[in-house]
Amino acid sequence: MSPVTRRQLILGAAPAAASVPLLKLALSGDADAASPSHMSAMAHDVMIGADVPAPGGPNDLDSLLYPPPASAPGEAREYDVVAVDREIEVLKGVTFAAWTYNGNVPGPVIRATEGEMVRVRFRNAGSHPHTIHFHGIHPADMDGVFEIVEPDASFVYEFPARPYGMHLYHCHATPLKKHIAKGLYGAFIIDPPEPRPPAQELVMVMNGFDTDGDGENELYTVNGRAFYYAKYPIRVKRSETVRIYLANLTEFDLLNSFHLHGDFFRYYPTGSSDQYEYTDTVMLTQGQRGIIEIDFQNTGLFMFHAHQSEFTELGWMGFFDVVE
Ligand code: CU
Ligand code: CU
């Protein structure tokens, strides 16, 4: 059987019989919903609403989309993180054999205020050695590079959170590329000591999934499920700033991007100063992140997606439903 490339998938050129094993659709009993030809046909319509082949229900990703509230300075923030191997559904009927933090890709949103202690109790319940490497300022023995945590072992990461901004964390065991591609990463928000103005806060971790093990991504998502926010648009109020903590953890591809329709936003690179760019498109390489602030001028449905159109058609797209 000839291999099916992701570009054939986009074009809908892959013969259905060849594409089925690639997408593991046979497992689902619902092959029609997400077959490449179906996706291709949909690409000519507006991809929004119930027919979009995103897996799961409307609130499944709430804990990844909505960050925990900021805390008062002086507290210690404690998190329990467990590495587990788990099959996750990334497109309707398509599973990915992930290595996860707490069962999801991306892992939990970790948040602290600058200066307070972050304490992350990490247990490795997976089948490979892992670590957690945090971006930011911390002691060398908290860096998650040398302190390899073997299966069934534990480690406690503890350091004062700094500097404020949008950061990320990921496994740093070798081979690094594999541990990231398998899904071991997440968002790490450090709030400034003087809180940011109130806003409707969202977290978006951009990533990809190599579902057939060929060393390139077949699907792209924010927060782990292809087309999810096209099926379930994110409702926001026009009257209040929308603040998005955005990170790129896409493996294999050099760049990813975020593009908003119908409006502009302030983009604060890394979120660690008040300098911003006023734009509607930003690009990020792996490990880059920042904070987007949108003051929507209009109500209605506004698309957001990677401006690499190929990524858009492979799952990285969604909508804001802006209401009064
Ligand atoms: Cu790992
Ligand atoms: Cu990194």
Side-chain angles (χ1 to χ4, degrees), residues 23-323:
L23 292 176
K24 299 180 188 167
L25 292 169
L27 298 173
S28 74
D30 190 17
D32 191 49
S35 72
S37 59
H38 186 84
M39 282 171 65
S40 177
M42 291 197 64
H44 299 287
D45 303 326
V46 180
M47 280 274 274
I48 185 166
D51 289 340
V52 175
N59 301 109
D60 290 6
L61 301 186
D62 281 4
S63 71
L64 298 175
L65 180 65
Y66 302 109
S71 56
E75 296 175 25
R77 268 290 172 107
E78 306 206 353
Y79 290 88
D80 288 291
V81 176
V82 184
V84 281
D85 301 354
R86 189 174 167 223
E87 289 250 317
I88 57 171
E89 193 176 13
V90 291
L91 176 73
K92 198 166 185 214
V94 179
T95 58
F96 177 74
W99 297 345
T100 75
Y101 291 127
N102 290 2
N104 289 309
V105 178
V109 178
I110 292 179
R111 186 170 199 173
T113 299
E114 188 178 74
E116 76 180 347
M117 291 299 285
V118 187
R119 190 173 300 127
V120 177
R121 290 181 292 260
F122 175 53
R123 189 164 63 83
N124 185 359
S127 55
H128 296 75
H130 298 304
T131 69
I132 307 178
H133 162 70
F134 293 88
H135 284 224
I137 302 170
H138 49 245
D141 62 357
M142 288 290 148
D143 197 39
V145 170
F146 300 111
E147 312 75 34
I148 300 298
V149 184
E150 299 292 334
D152 297 323
S154 298
F155 189 89
V156 179
Y157 298 92
E158 194 172 34
F159 53 87
R162 65 193 176 115
Y164 75 81
M166 170 59 177
H167 306 304
L168 54 128
Y169 65 89
H170 56 84
C171 183
H172 221 295
T174 53
L176 182 56
K177 183 164 86 170
K178 177 150 192 178
H179 285 248
I180 290 182
K182 281 292 218 175
L184 290 164
Y185 46 76
F188 177 32
I189 301 168
I190 300 181
D191 291 292
E194 182 81 18
R196 297 180 192 277
Q200 305 169 84
E201 295 201 323
L202 308 170
V203 178
M204 294 190 185
V205 174
M206 305 189 289
N207 66 356
F209 292 103
D210 174 10
T211 55
D212 64 356
D214 66 350
E216 61 177 28
N217 294 308
E218 277 68 52
L219 293 170
Y220 296 87
T221 86
V222 276
N223 296 346
R225 295 186 190 181
F227 302 112
Y228 187 79
Y229 299 114
K231 188 169 186 176
Y232 306 112
I234 300 170
R235 177 163 291 202
V236 295
K237 294 191 293 280
R238 190 174 73 98
S239 55
E240 192 178 23
T241 301
V242 175
R243 179 178 297 134
I244 305 168
Y245 296 92
L246 179 73
N248 179 26
L249 269 306
T250 311
E251 191 55 79
F252 307 120
D253 297 277
L254 285 176
L255 292 173
N256 206 327
S257 57
F258 177 102
H259 167 56
L260 175 68
H261 283 219
D263 225 311
F264 261 48
F265 53 77
R266 298 180 293 281
Y267 179 69
Y268 300 83
T270 316
S272 295
S273 82
D274 53 11
Q275 293 196 348
Y276 64 84
E277 178 188 359
Y278 191 53
T279 182
D280 62 9
T281 307
V282 289
M283 68 174 177
L284 297 84
T285 192
Q286 191 189 76
Q288 274 193 308
R289 69 281 183 187
I291 297 174
I292 284 173
E293 290 185 345
I294 314 167
D295 294 312
F296 278 104
Q297 303 292 304
N298 294 291
T299 57
L301 288 166
F302 291 103
M303 197 176 182
F304 63 95
H305 60 92
H307 213 295
Q308 290 105 314
S309 43
E310 180 185 21
F311 292 10
T312 308
E313 293 178 352
L314 291 173
W316 179 173
M317 57 169 291
F319 288 88
F320 290 110
D321 180 10
V322 185
V323 298

